Amino acid sequence: MRLLKVATCNLNNWAMDFDCNLKNIKESIGRAKEAGAVIRLGPELEITGYGCEDHFLELDTVTHAWECLKDLLLGDWTDGILCSFGMPVIKGSERYNCQVLCLNRKIIMIRPKLWLANDGNYRELRWFTAWKQKDQLEDFQLPNEIYVALKQKSVPFGYGFIQFLDTAVAAEICEELFTPIPPHADLALNGVEVFMNASGSHHQLRKLDYRIRAFISATHSRGGVYMYSNHQGCDGGRLYFDGCSCVVVNGDMIAQGSQFSLKDVEIVVAQVDLDAVAGFRGSISSFQEQASCKTKISSVAVPYNLCQPFNLKMSLSSPLKINYHSPEEEIAFGPGCWLWDYLRRSGASGFLLPLSGGADSSSVAAIVGCMCQLVVKEISNGDEQVKADAIRIGHYANGEFPTDSREFAKRIFYTVFMGSENSSQETRMLAKKLADEIGSWHLDVSIDTVVSAFLSLFQTLTGKRPCYKVDGGSNVENLGLQNIQARIRMVLAFMLASLLPWVHNKPGFYLVLGSSNVDEGLRGYLTKYDCSSADINPIGSISKQDLRTFLRWAATHLGYSSLAEIEAAPPTAELEPIRSNYSQLDEVDMGMTYEELSVYGRLRKVFHCGPVTMFKNLCYRWGARLTPSEVAEKVKQFFKYYSINRHKMTVLTPSYHAESYSPDDNRFDLRQFLYNARWPYQFRKIDELVKELDGEKVPFSESGDHEKMGTTLDGGGGMGVIAAGSGNPKSGH
């Protein structure tokens, strides 16, 4: 038997914080050594942090990475253990995303990334070059300070593997695993038995299964030990890296780390028998045949044994059941951990949330409550780092620390119901009930006097006073009155976040939390610079349907029973007066349901459908209940509102990325924000198709019914050929 103990890890590193990252790396190596591992794998670009973005273009970033690597190699960290470190490397005039493989205080080889991630949230081609010379390893001259310190002048650089006396080991970096012809296929035919995948993979709802199936597939038909390491936590942006470092052998998961955790360092250790890999491959005739005529890959020979012989004191890791979280748990734990990182790293003393008693803001409140529960749980489990952060943020003294989530929430979480004459007593009471269940410091204020002051000022300036639509006012008046309330709430929220800590003799400031969901952002159903304008938003990329499912789950599993009542209520902005014959409802205001919005969003972003292709797809999907002309009107209406409101995405609050059809303009969904909102060419094509399908003449006026819709203004200075606004706003207060 050739027994091999390996360690991979989840690291909560922070982009550009080299001290933090080096500390975590050293701790992971120390714990791997304590466990007896002889291979330690860390995540992609772990020395710098993955999310440095344009900082990768700075020479300082590369220089500091080399300085940290020198620190690791001058100590005893790599003694007796093969370590893979992720960092940027400049070779000639090109920058490469590399894994630096080190053993016994020497660099064995540098493996640059072959295929870069350059879609969705990733822009690696902006900062790095893909390595293209696959036929041989090149000689790389180490920086002078490394040469002086290590007495090592050069190192093999390129695509290849390390041939030890008893096994062969190779790196495969993140995106390479998911390419049509992944490197591990040829590497396996060349005798590589251990694959080390350093990754920077973010959380997205329902995504983990896709990732794990790739690990299993990599070794199911080829055999081998597949090690996977990932970042875990928020390293400074919209993404939450969801860990789940693991080890797979011959298609079986034998070790799996957590997906969501507050820990800065988590080690996953597995013990494998490499003879099982050799036996597995020997039993596959096609593998043997393809290996006999393989394309040869360069290697670096290292006269060193990694394996130990048969030893009963070393038990083998067995296949285990893969742990998956439900989508409801993902919504609770992912954004909850993300918020904790923002709180402890921003210098803030807590969060302030405008809590309306509706589904969206209540979801955010529940996520903060979940965060508080996670903090208390980790402290009770003995995590000293979480304890130290909680003591500092909560301003505990005399050896005290959080032992109850509600008490901790009282210290770090303000909720504010900002009611008006249009608010119902039901939502007011639900907001207070939920705040009591979570433990937040809750305020109930009326904004009517402030609204009245604005209207009086406007009347003094113009001689006119606007009225709501139900009271005889025009659409412009109705919209303007709603926007005044929404924006007053935003100003009040930021004022309270700045001054309430001072009122309560607390140092620091509070971060304002937003609560608009992904469907509202897609449709533009929010006022520009209202309470959707916050510091950060944990639900900005989560659909309304998922949030409602989450509320039902959280009512039971988080212990906030009021969420069941909140979920059952129809969504409403409560920005217009309530009358016996009228009550404002979100889906009526929008002219489409949240379920329809989710469908539009996926077709637009995930399946890259323009108006015509979306119409064709929806004719198949909805054809049993809608005529082609009805489908056409729905598609036109969606694209009309999407385009006139696209400008709002340019100022959207930074949101936790969780959904594949997020309209986030700043990173994920890069499109213009000035449209011809009539879409004349596309809508004409749709009308022609409708005419063919219905066998009737379809009237055409460039925009279908748009000319009758007129102009809608949100008062915020917007874009769009037809309109500059939101149609109907939603405050999300």
Side-chain angles (χ1 to χ4, degrees), residues 121 201-207 211 232-235 237-243 259-261 327 329-342 364 367 513-514 516-518 535-543 547 652-664 667-668:
N121 288 292
S201 185
H202 69 280
H203 171 240
Q204 191 168 287
L205 292 177
R206 306 172 181 89
K207 174 188 171 186
R211 192 192 306 163
Q232 185 173 60
C234 169
D235 76 344
R238 292 161 171 78
L239 304 183
Y240 176 80
F241 297 94
D242 61 338
Q259 187 178 13
F260 308 107
S261 173
E329 290 173 323
E330 291 185 87
I331 292 172
F333 301 144
C337 293
W338 184 77
L339 285 177
W340 177 245
D341 277 348
Y342 255 100
V364 174
I367 289 169
L513 297 180
S516 59
N517 63 61
V518 68
D535 289 309
I536 51 175
N537 180 359
I539 67 165
S541 185
I542 302 176
S543 73
L547 287 175
L652 193 71
T653 296
S655 303
Y656 178 99
H657 177 88
E659 184 55 81
S660 59
Y661 67 92
S662 170
D664 180 0
R667 292 291 188 277
F668 185 67

Side-chain angles (χ1 to χ4, degrees), residues 40-53:
R40 176 269 178 196
L41 171 66
E44 184 177 13
L45 295 168
E46 62 180 321
I47 292 179
T48 58
Y50 184 84
C52 296
E53 299 188 319

Side-chain angles (χ1 to χ4, degrees), residues 658-715:
E659 184 55 81
S660 59
Y661 67 92
S662 170
D664 180 0
D665 172 81
N666 296 283
R667 292 291 188 277
F668 185 67
D669 189 32
L670 306 182
R671 301 168 194 247
Q672 73 269 36
F673 55 90
L674 177 61
Y675 279 90
N676 183 341
R678 295 182 178 87
W679 299 79
Y681 186 90
Q682 295 91 331
F683 286 4
R684 185 167 64 251
K685 290 292 182 183
I686 292 175
D687 289 343
E688 291 170 359
L689 288 168
V690 170
K691 183 178 179 180
E692 292 177 15
L693 294 168
D694 282 354
E696 60 184 25
K697 186 175 180 180
V698 178
F700 174 70
S701 61
E702 267 204 342
S703 58
D705 197 31
H706 292 177
E707 297 299 338
K708 292 186 288 184
M709 295 178 186
T711 308
T712 57
L713 300 172
D714 76 346

Side-chain angles (χ1 to χ4, degrees), residues 13-19 21 44-65 68 86-88 95 97 121-124 126-128 200 231 234-239 241 667:
N13 285 4
W14 192 6
M16 300 301 292
D17 189 339
F18 293 92
D19 285 338
N21 301 344
E44 184 177 13
L45 295 168
E46 62 180 321
I47 292 179
T48 58
Y50 184 84
C52 296
E53 299 188 319
D54 280 3
H55 285 293
F56 284 127
L57 303 178
E58 300 167 5
L59 286 176
D60 276 4
T61 305
V62 181
T63 300
H64 298 331
C68 291
M87 60 178 276
R95 283 174 173 79
N97 176 349
N121 288 292
Y122 299 101
R123 301 286 180 275
E124 288 183 17
R126 181 180 175 96
W127 312 299
F128 301 112
H231 294 275
C234 169
D235 76 344
R238 292 161 171 78
L239 304 183
F241 297 94
R667 292 291 188 277

